[in-house]
Amino acid sequence: MVIISGIFMAFNLLIILHKLREFMVLNALIDLLSLGVIVFLTAGTYSGLATGMIASALVSIYLWFLPIREPKLIRKIRNKIKGKSQQ
């Protein structure tokens, strides 16, 4: 069980890091919040952590294929940051 939990956690964190690198901040935030809420609701138990990791990984996969559209203001800021980093 520990190995499976480690695989889910690594998978989940890799997806969240990729989303942050691609400036998909809203999706990454939802992933982290879903993990936190589920772990909080299950009182921080190991089974709660495992459930949260699996649920958050499923949310990550869902948001990967059907991303949430960001508001225009966030898109403008992201485009400015990307433009400055390429110069």
Side-chain angles (χ1 to χ4, degrees), residues 36-57:
V37 166
I38 292 172
V39 170
F40 177 76
L41 290 176
T42 55
T45 61
Y46 182 75
S47 62
L49 179 63
T51 304
M53 285 185 297
I54 293 169
S56 183

Side-chain angles (χ1 to χ4, degrees), residues 21-72:
R21 284 191 187 128
E22 295 295 319
F23 295 99
M24 298 169 68
V25 177
L26 189 57
N27 288 345
L29 183 63
I30 290 173
D31 287 343
L32 291 172
L33 285 176
S34 68
L35 175 62
V37 166
I38 292 172
V39 170
F40 177 76
L41 290 176
T42 55
T45 61
Y46 182 75
S47 62
L49 179 63
T51 304
M53 285 185 297
I54 293 169
S56 183
L58 292 175
V59 168
S60 294
I61 292 169
Y62 176 81
L63 290 174
W64 183 273
F65 292 108
L66 297 170
I68 295 174
R69 291 193 61 191
E70 297 174 333
K72 289 180 183 178

